[in-house]
Amino acid sequence: MNDHSTHIGTLEPQRVYGVLRSSPEGLTATEVTERLLHVGPNRFEVADRFKLLRALVRQFANFFAMLLFVSAIICAIAHRINPEEGMGLLGWALLVVALLNALFSFFQEYRAEKAMEALQRYLPHLVEVLRGGRIVRLSAEEIVPGDVVMLAEGDKVAADLRIVETKDMLIDNAPLTGESAAVRIVARSENKPLAECRNIAYAGCTVVRGTGRGVVFATGLRTRFGRIAHLSQTIRRTASPMEREVSRMIRILTAIACTMGLAFFLYGVSTGKPLWINLVFMMGIIVANVPEGLLPTMTLALVMGSLRMARKQVLVTSLNAVEALGAVHVICTDKTGTLTRNQLSITRMLDPLSGAAISPTREIRLTRLALAASEIRRTGRQILGDPLDVALADHWCSLGQNPPDKLKQQMVRSFAFDVEKRRSGGIFMDNEQPLLVVKGAFEAIRPMLCQVESPKDNPDEAGLADQLTACESTLESMAGSGLRVIAVAYRRLAAAEVDQIRPEEASVAPLEHDLILAGFIGIEDPIRPEVPQAVAKCHRAGVEVLMITGDHPVTALAVAAKAGIVAGHETVHLTGSDLQGLTVDDLAGQIRQGVRVFARTTPEQKMKIVTALKSMDKVVAMTGDGVNDAPALRAADVGIAMGKQGTDVARESAQIILLDDNFASIVNGIEEGRTVFANMKKFTSYVLVSNGPEILPYLLYIVLPVPLALNIIHILAIDLGTDLVPSMGLGQEPADPEVMTRAPRDLGQGLLTTPLILHSYCFLGLFEGIWSLGLFFYVLVDGGWRYGAPLPSDSPLYRSAVGITLATILLMQIGNLIGRRFATRSGLDRGLVTNRLLAAGILIQIIFSWALLYWPPLQRIMGTGPVPFQVYAFAWLGTLALFSVDYGRKMLVKRARKG
């Protein structure tokens, strides 16, 4: 439909069905099939034919890849200068390495993306549609023009709809218009341009309040949202902190490689060495400094971490969110559904004055009144709506009454729950007279009361002030038992008063006065049994837990005590009214003094709490499920949305989605995030250690008249051969038992720190280099070589010396690998066979080190030769020596820390 003088918005609601060839009962299955074939699925994604190609090209844009390509070009130049040195073959080898590295990283990202897409199917965008007179829930992709869609608060509009029925509905059109103010939706016709009509709900926008019904008139790319998506260019996402840290690490290592290579190239030129020798040397220094296998190993670690999180019911929306969760200092959690089961049940209905249970007749009447201020709908036999309203409906049925949806026939108006006012309302006909009902928090209803209802056989003659005091006592007694307490009040209306409320009016405020309190309803939501243990685990890990809820303070404190967030006798808390009077600095001070429970808060006040925590330099994780939680989820360092009860808006605003809405899953995610970061540091350190013995031969070669102990092909065999599987094994190490007993890491602590560089290069790397070069010169001298004498690269003696050097590095990397498993423990106490990749890596190193020396086919490829067995045994001794000196360092550090 175009914006002409006559369009879908100018039609009266009853005419909309005819124009769109639909009916108030919805489409039939045959009509849906025909229209789906004609217009296609309701998808908004613009086909990106070059997405995979761009992802592949991106793998060649990092410093490592570019450095390898430049190195390959230098090798080609050197080959032209001196073809006998075989630099051309090395150039092809470097080119293949760069290609394989890029393809591996591309494959891992592609695999991760496909895995995330598969996991997202657990959380489909479901829509309630009326088909054949029945409400069904189906994927948004399945709706077609003419479908009748039911909308409720928190729903994302799945297609362009002409609204035909509405109750207090507000829609946020910010995704299309940029306007922050929500638009009030009406059902009546409007003689305006289509874009200005208030009876249209556009795809991509969100229902902020109320309910409604609309008929689909555009789907997919035919919607207003779809047309914009079709015209827009692909938006590049900004780099995450982890991506920036990896980029920084790559730049540092590349700078080290290039600086050393260029410096010694110039030194060689100044000392009169041949150009091709200087080129070979420079290439060796560069390749030795670049850990070619590090990037794909990091990608694999994040991919596997995200998949392990998914098995723990934690879905991450991007790979870098895996590590982000591990850095959290504070968790701000909701109560209902996260700490509790969100399985509400009505357990008590009490007289507000006496606190005694009410009679069965009065219980039926109180439930009926509460249902009048509720919003429920039926899908087959299932009742849908707010969990509290569903619990009331279930209780109504348990009392032997008619299905609750039959009560709608007596309804005149309903007013959706107002988050700020903390109450909902409704008007229904009671004995031919309109009756206003308000249900919600007692504090919100108390100022509007004029009377408290008493049993007819026991009237209460006390004044209103005394009655309210008695009510407060009953309320605190119920809340102290951990019950959520709902107050229900009513007032009979005159017909003229009902007429004053216009159909589009969303507020019942003009009628909310002189109410009579009918009773208190106690709702129990049992705490999840695993929550106390999870909270205790957080406390041991130095992660603070704050509970933010809209419930009564006494209820909140009771639940917080059961969860272990506060001590059982603690009463310190802040309410929403307290928060209004505090500045951010004041609030931060209250949190420092130990406030852990926030009651009677609104979703907007979550933002203030997040701001206060971030002003304290805390990394904040915030849970949320509603539309109004979206700003707080975006403001937090890690936004966590509920997968079951959460709205689409909350999910899209979050970085983490809990598939089971369980607080314990957050703690599991934190443990996994810490483990991923710790493992990344482990294999980074492991890989950098081998750089030391790879660089040292080239430094000696350029400054002393000695043979070169390692060729570039040997370095690549280590970095992309024998080191790769052990690195992956370290990336798959299970969580350290102590990982959740330490405080969160300092945000300034990156992957590549000064202590890690010194430990890798100057301690273990230097030790490994000295031991391996010692055996290199031992074999040379024992074979008759003398200092300064030239030695052909194809001589058996040189091949044997090179072979033992490479074999020694491989074997000593086993000691390095075991030592990297723990920062303060030996690494043997966990057992090597518990990590299959680690065991496979060790086996590869052992077999490869033996084959280098004693298997002719590999000798010919690698240019190595055999050595006496006692020399090979001495190489094995290097494994024990490196492991021992590293373990001794750990013990000294551990003793120093204790001291």
Side-chain angles (χ1 to χ4, degrees):
M1 294 254 178
N2 298 320
D3 293 341
H4 297 310
S5 57
T6 301
H7 53 72
I8 195 74
T10 63
L11 303 177
E12 292 297 329
Q14 59 270 23
R15 289 190 55 202
V16 173
Y17 295 106
V19 171
L20 294 172
R21 291 183 296 161
S22 183
S23 70
E25 289 75 33
L27 300 176
T28 64
T30 303
E31 290 172 328
V32 170
T33 303
E34 291 175 353
R35 298 185 189 197
L36 196 58
L37 289 173
H38 180 67
V39 301
N42 179 39
R43 294 175 183 159
F44 304 99
E45 295 84 2
V46 180
D48 186 356
R49 293 176 295 175
F50 304 104
K51 181 179 180 180
L52 292 178
L53 180 61
R54 280 202 306 272
L56 180 59
V57 171
R58 191 172 62 248
Q59 307 305 325
F60 296 99
N62 63 71
F63 281 98
F64 279 4
M66 290 188 288
L67 188 61
L68 290 175
F69 283 123
V70 171
S71 301
I73 294 172
I74 294 174
C75 287
I77 295 172
H79 180 72
R80 293 293 299 271
I81 297 173
N82 192 343
E84 290 80 12
E85 291 301 317
M87 294 294 284
L89 180 61
L90 177 59
W92 282 110
L94 291 175
L95 185 63
V96 170
V97 167
L99 289 172
L100 290 176
N101 200 340
L103 289 173
F104 185 86
S105 295
F106 168 74
F107 172 74
Q108 292 302 331
E109 285 195 19
Y110 176 79
R111 177 188 177 192
E113 184 177 340
K114 290 301 179 184
M116 294 304 168
E117 288 177 3
L119 290 169
Q120 288 280 14
R121 296 189 190 117
Y122 285 111
L123 306 170
H125 179 188
L126 298 179
V127 183
E128 289 187 10
V129 180
L130 192 63
R131 286 185 176 172
R134 294 186 59 192
I135 297 178
V136 295
R137 299 191 76 188
L138 45 82
S139 171
E141 292 190 358
E142 299 178 38
I143 64 174
V144 295
D147 263 326
V148 180
V149 177
M150 317 297 288
L151 295 175
E153 180 179 336
D155 288 347
K156 173 179 275 191
V157 182
D160 287 356
L161 309 177
R162 168 61 164 90
I163 301 300
V164 292
E165 293 181 21
T166 177
K167 289 185 179 179
D168 313 324
M169 191 157 71
L170 297 176
I171 286 186
D172 178 13
N173 286 332
L176 288 178
T177 65
E179 296 289 337
S180 58
V183 177
R184 189 174 306 284
I185 301 299
V186 298
R188 64 173 181 265
S189 64
E190 293 199 327
N191 190 21
K192 300 177 181 178
L194 183 62
E196 298 178 13
C197 285
R198 295 183 297 161
N199 52 27
I200 304 296
Y202 290 106
C205 300
T206 306
V207 181
V208 177
R209 182 183 297 173
T211 60
R213 178 181 300 196
V215 185
V216 177
F217 67 88
T219 60
L221 296 178
R222 297 174 182 84
T223 63
R224 187 176 173 188
F225 184 88
R227 291 196 298 270
I228 294 173
H230 184 65
L231 294 173
S232 64
Q233 298 296 320
T234 303
I235 300 174
R236 294 181 180 179
R237 65 181 181 85
T238 57
S240 68
M242 174 58 71
E243 288 173 317
R244 291 195 294 269
E245 168 59 27
V246 171
S247 297
R248 186 185 74 87
M249 181 181 68
I250 290 174
R251 288 195 299 270
I252 291 173
L253 294 177
T254 304
I256 292 173
C258 292
T259 301
M260 290 183 66
L262 184 60
F264 283 95
F265 174 81
L266 296 176
Y267 173 81
V269 171
S270 66
T271 56
K273 291 183 181 292
L275 179 62
W276 68 268
I277 290 180
N278 293 323
L279 286 174
V280 170
F281 170 75
M282 183 176 70
M283 293 304 308
I285 286 289
I286 290 174
V287 174
N289 271 286
V290 176
E292 292 84 4
L294 192 58
L295 283 183
T297 306
M298 284 184 172
T299 305
L300 180 63
L302 290 173
V303 170
M304 299 308 295
S306 67
L307 295 178
R308 287 195 300 272
M309 280 188 174
R311 288 195 288 269
K312 296 178 180 180
Q313 304 299 310
V314 180
L315 174 62
V316 295
T317 58
S318 69
L319 285 183
N320 293 289
V322 173
E323 185 275 333
L325 192 56
V328 163
H329 295 105
V330 182
I331 302 173
C332 298
T333 177
D334 193 8
K335 177 182 74 68
T336 304
T338 308
L339 298 176
T340 62
R341 292 179 179 272
N342 199 24
Q343 297 175 351
L344 303 183
S345 59
I346 309 299
T347 57
R348 296 185 200 173
M349 288 196 173
L350 303 184
D351 177 76
L353 295 174
S354 65
I358 58 179
S359 65
T361 303
R362 194 176 170 193
E363 183 175 354
I364 293 173
R365 180 171 174 274
L366 182 58
T367 307
R368 173 68 185 90
L369 289 173
L371 282 172
S374 303
E375 283 283 349
I376 56 172
R377 53 199 185 280
R378 180 182 290 274
T379 301
R381 295 185 178 181
Q382 185 180 8
I383 298 174
L384 302 176
D386 181 86
L388 170 60
D389 295 344
V390 172
L392 285 168
D394 291 339
H395 188 70
W396 175 259
C397 294
S398 71
L399 296 175
Q401 303 302 307
N402 292 326
D405 51 335
K406 296 288 182 64
L407 299 175
K408 286 189 174 183
Q409 299 171 3
Q410 302 174 18
M411 293 297 300
V412 177
R413 285 292 307 277
S414 64
F415 302 90
F417 181 77
D418 190 307
V419 176
E420 295 180 358
K421 295 180 179 179
R422 305 202 307 276
R423 59 184 182 269
S424 60
I427 301 173
F428 77 105
M429 300 303 296
D430 182 36
N431 295 326
E432 305 299 326
Q433 184 177 4
L435 190 73
L436 167 69
V437 181
V438 179
K439 87 171 191 296
F442 178 67
E443 301 96 308
I445 295 176
R446 176 174 175 160
M448 302 176 290
L449 295 176
C450 69
Q451 182 183 341
V452 178
E453 187 177 78
S454 299
K456 292 183 179 180
D457 57 345
N458 184 27
D460 193 290
E461 301 298 335
L464 180 61
D466 293 336
Q467 288 181 331
L468 294 179
T469 300
C471 292
E472 287 282 2
S473 177
T474 301
L475 177 72
E476 297 219 357
S477 175
M478 296 174 71
S481 301
L483 296 178
R484 180 180 175 185
V485 184
I486 299 298
V488 181
Y490 67 93
R491 180 172 76 87
R492 296 198 176 276
L493 304 176
E497 290 183 288
V498 179
D499 296 337
Q500 292 174 2
I501 305 296
R502 292 176 297 175
E504 66 272 17
E505 180 64 56
S507 175
V508 73
L511 303 178
E512 292 178 321
H513 58 84
D514 298 326
L515 300 180
I516 302 172
L517 182 63
F520 286 152
I521 300 177
I523 301 102
E524 184 177 17
D525 185 8
I527 194 168
R528 293 179 183 268
E530 61 272 22
V531 163
Q533 184 178 357
V535 171
K537 197 173 185 180
C538 280
H539 291 163
R540 290 195 299 271
V543 178
E544 300 176 55
V545 182
L546 276 59
M547 188 177 79
I548 307 173
T549 179
D551 280 345
H552 189 277
V554 178
T555 304
L557 286 167
V559 173
K562 290 179 181 178
I565 296 174
V566 298
H569 59 278
E570 193 166 333
T571 59
V572 178
H573 67 278
L574 289 177
T575 63
S577 58
D578 297 329
L579 289 172
Q580 289 177 354
L582 294 176
T583 65
V584 171
D585 290 339
D586 293 337
L587 178 54
Q590 293 283 341
I591 295 173
R592 288 190 185 97
Q593 292 175 18
V595 175
R596 295 294 175 267
V597 175
F598 297 86
R600 290 300 193 219
T601 55
T602 63
E604 288 79 6
Q605 289 170 337
K606 285 187 174 184
M607 281 286 293
K608 194 171 189 177
I609 298 172
V610 171
T611 304
L613 288 167
K614 295 183 82 169
S615 72
M616 300 164 61
D617 295 326
K618 302 286 188 181
V619 178
V620 184
M622 171 69 74
T623 69
D625 55 7
V627 176
N628 291 332
D629 290 329
L633 291 174
R634 290 193 186 100
D637 296 285
V638 182
I640 304 174
M642 302 298 109
K644 289 184 176 180
Q645 300 296 329
T647 60
D648 296 328
V649 176
R651 293 175 188 170
E652 291 181 2
S653 301
Q655 298 160 284
I656 304 287
I657 300 173
L658 297 185
L659 299 177
D660 59 357
D661 295 5
N662 193 340
F663 178 84
S665 297
I666 303 176
V667 183
N668 292 336
I670 290 176
E671 182 175 16
E672 190 62 50
R674 290 188 176 189
T675 301
V676 167
F677 185 81
N679 286 347
M680 291 175 78
K681 293 207 71 169
K682 289 175 185 178
F683 63 66
T684 299
S685 176
Y686 168 78
V687 167
L688 294 183
V689 166
S690 62
N691 282 10
E694 292 171 357
I695 295 170
L696 200 55
Y698 285 87
L699 298 180
L700 294 180
Y701 175 69
I702 199 69
V703 298
L704 298 175
V706 296
L708 183 63
L710 288 178
N711 293 322
I712 296 178
I713 193 68
H714 301 143
I715 295 172
L716 295 178
I718 297 171
D719 291 351
L720 286 172
T722 56
D723 269 0
L724 202 56
V725 175
S727 297
M728 292 179 181
L730 286 174
Q732 306 308 306
E733 279 282 89
D736 186 334
E738 299 176 357
V739 74
M740 292 299 282
T741 62
R742 295 189 287 264
R745 69 178 177 88
D746 184 359
L747 290 181
Q749 180 189 7
L751 286 172
L752 197 63
T753 60
T754 301
L756 186 144
I757 292 175
L758 293 174
H759 175 260
S760 301
Y761 282 92
C762 302
F763 180 56
L764 292 184
L766 184 62
F767 185 88
E768 201 170 287
I770 293 172
W771 193 281
S772 58
L773 284 175
L775 287 179
F776 172 75
F777 287 114
Y778 172 80
V779 171
L780 288 181
V781 172
D782 188 58
W785 175 82
R786 293 297 174 261
Y787 179 75
L791 188 64
S793 59
D794 58 350
S795 69
L797 178 60
Y798 177 75
R799 294 167 68 97
S800 296
V802 168
I804 192 60
T805 305
L806 181 57
T808 302
I809 294 173
L810 299 182
L811 292 175
M812 293 183 77
Q813 280 292 86
I814 296 175
N816 175 31
L817 176 67
I818 297 171
R820 299 287 65 74
R821 300 182 80 186
F822 292 104
T824 58
R825 289 156 54 191
S826 70
L828 289 171
D829 46 355
R830 177 175 279 171
L832 296 179
V833 294
T834 57
N835 186 327
R836 294 181 181 178
L837 268 179
L838 214 64
I842 293 173
L843 189 61
I844 289 171
Q845 288 169 316
I846 293 173
I847 294 174
F848 198 73
S849 70
W850 176 87
L852 280 171
L853 301 174
Y854 306 113
W855 192 43
L858 189 58
Q859 289 175 348
R860 287 192 292 270
I861 295 172
M862 300 300 295
T864 58
V867 296
F869 186 76
Q870 60 268 26
V871 178
Y872 182 56
F874 207 78
W876 268 98
L877 187 59
T879 305
L880 180 60
L882 183 135
F883 176 81
S884 300
V885 298
D886 187 39
Y887 183 67
R889 179 199 61 84
K890 291 178 182 179
M891 293 300 99
L892 289 175
V893 171
K894 193 173 183 180
R895 184 176 302 173
R897 287 177 179 173
K898 286 184 178 180

